[in-house]
Amino acid sequence: MKTKFKKTLYSLSFFLLSICLFTVPTFASGLNWNGHFQTETRVNLDNSALTWQETNLTLQPEVVTNNTRFYGELCYRRSGLSSQNNSLLASTNSNPIELNEIYLDLYAYPWRRMDLRIGKQLIPWGTGYLLNPTSNLNPEDLRDVFNFGRYLGSNALKATTYLGEVTITGVFIPVLTPAALPHQQFQALFAPEMPPLPFTVNEQKIESILPAENLQESAAWGVKLDKHLLGCDFSVSYVDGRYSLPVPKITLTPVGEKVDLLCELIHPRRKIIGFDLAGAYGGLGFWSELAYFFPEEVKATSNLGPQKIEIVTLKDTPYAKYLIGMDYSADHLYFNGQYLHGFPQEQGKDKLGDYFLGRLEFTLNDGKIKIPFNACLEVRDFNKFQESFAYLFSPEICFYPEMNTEITLSLRLIDGKSGTNLGKMKDWDEIGLKIKYSF
């Protein structure tokens, strides 16, 4: 009876949506094209090896009417390095042409207080700068580990309802899209962490497993309430879905005096309650986010003769990620500082680190030159600071010969202790050149 009710509900929902789509007037005012061209090259300071070389062309078509808007973002992305396209854990999409977004907005439809967005889209929840603990609907795009805050679009239906001073947003995503992971040089950051074993491993096998492509196993949904109160923007959200980053499930099989190790990269379910706020006082802006995770436990029990070994790689213990930040603007000065507990790839209460991020930017020559200084300090244990810290320092100089042209020279220096995420990248000090032309 319960299964029949679900089938009836899904069928009725799709039927009503179809009626809405076919009854919307389609009088377009014209097609507009925007976009940009960008090329970036980075070189390792220690051995002069090319560590990143990519050129991309992004096109953004848009059609706007009184009651509708069509928007797309088509990107042709091409790497000049074979290592960037030869990763065991990389995204399965190796096509150089990507549809980052393509959706249709229906305004005041089917109700005058409701807007619909249908198609592949980014759903940028959260108030933080680049990093957002409460943004958990889109999968992470981690192909460039130094380009924080990038996400892949998701095929979704989003409905936004305006009820006076309260805005309610509902999102439904029918199919899980896994996160895009980096090329092989940075796989150590995301490879499964194997527990110590009292056995010699004979053979190790890694398999990537996605959930079944049906609504019960793969779908995700979320709802968010926004309100402006006391000069600040507040919101509370709830998400029910799966981790887009894989979690290892480890099984051991005895082979004589050794064991075969099977590592299944799965995407367990999680429920997330989120809170965020943002406001400003004079030239000072401030924001905060809190995401409370309720994960599904990931464990495997192996029978090794008379001995049973249970390996838990993700506990079902709830844990929180949070962020506090502020910025300040003056005539030729901009400062941004954030404290973050838990980076996107960190999963589980005992695997979260603390990060202090800052950006100080000077503007010269009527905006034609900008000099940003970016920094990040990672701390794994404040009680053992000297043994568990790492840092990243990245000064830049940006030239703007025209308003639509940007030339950036950058330097990145990294050092840290073993056991830190930044410490794993301490051999990747780089200089870089990026050119971007927008049209």
Side-chain angles (χ1 to χ4, degrees), residues 199-232:
F199 301 94
T200 302
V201 176
N202 177 60
E203 181 180 354
Q204 179 174 316
K205 186 178 181 182
I206 299 178
E207 293 182 355
S208 180
I209 299 177
L210 294 176
E213 292 183 343
N214 58 58
L215 296 180
Q216 289 81 6
E217 293 295 325
S218 192
W221 62 276
V223 62
K224 182 164 72 85
L225 280 71
D226 294 272
K227 181 176 176 57
H228 185 79
L229 181 67
L230 300 176
C232 296

Side-chain angles (χ1 to χ4, degrees), residues 54-248:
E54 184 180 83
T55 299
N56 66 70
L57 174 64
T58 300
L59 301 176
Q60 299 166 313
E62 183 180 37
V63 180
V64 179
T65 71
N66 290 333
N67 299 311
T68 66
R69 172 177 176 257
F70 166 80
Y71 174 81
E73 184 175 296
L74 177 68
C75 181
Y76 177 83
R77 186 191 306 269
R78 201 65 186 172
S79 171
L81 304 179
S82 60
S83 59
Q84 288 176 215
N85 302 308
N86 185 25
S87 172
L88 177 65
L89 300 179
S91 170
T92 56
N93 180 17
S94 58
N95 194 330
I97 299 178
E98 302 175 6
L99 272 174
N100 296 332
E101 291 188 271
I102 181 166
Y103 59 77
L104 175 67
D105 283 333
L106 305 177
Y107 301 125
Y109 198 88
W111 182 38
R112 63 182 180 85
R113 293 180 179 271
M114 179 180 289
D115 296 338
L116 292 181
R117 176 168 292 180
I118 306 163
K120 190 172 186 178
Q121 55 190 282
L122 294 172
I123 306 160
W125 288 4
T127 56
Y129 176 72
L130 296 180
L131 298 166
N132 303 104
T134 60
S135 184
N136 295 288
L137 288 166
N138 292 121
E140 296 86 348
D141 184 356
L142 300 170
R143 285 172 289 186
D144 182 1
V145 295
F146 298 113
N147 195 348
F148 299 152
R150 287 183 59 86
Y151 291 88
L152 303 174
S154 298
N155 293 310
L157 169 64
K158 184 175 75 170
T160 305
T161 305
Y162 306 93
L163 301 174
E165 296 182 352
V166 177
T167 300
I168 303 174
T169 303
V171 178
F172 178 72
I173 301 174
V175 178
L176 170 73
T177 300
L181 299 180
H183 59 89
Q184 60 187 9
Q185 287 93 332
F186 294 103
Q187 283 185 7
L189 287 174
F190 301 92
E193 185 176 330
M194 300 299 181
L197 299 173
F199 301 94
T200 302
V201 176
N202 177 60
E203 181 180 354
Q204 179 174 316
K205 186 178 181 182
I206 299 178
E207 293 182 355
S208 180
I209 299 177
L210 294 176
E213 292 183 343
N214 58 58
L215 296 180
Q216 289 81 6
E217 293 295 325
S218 192
W221 62 276
V223 62
K224 182 164 72 85
L225 280 71
D226 294 272
K227 181 176 176 57
H228 185 79
L229 181 67
L230 300 176
C232 296
D233 295 319
F234 294 87
S235 79
V236 57
S237 61
Y238 177 80
V239 170
D240 188 334
R242 290 184 178 272
Y243 285 93
S244 58
L245 285 162
V247 176

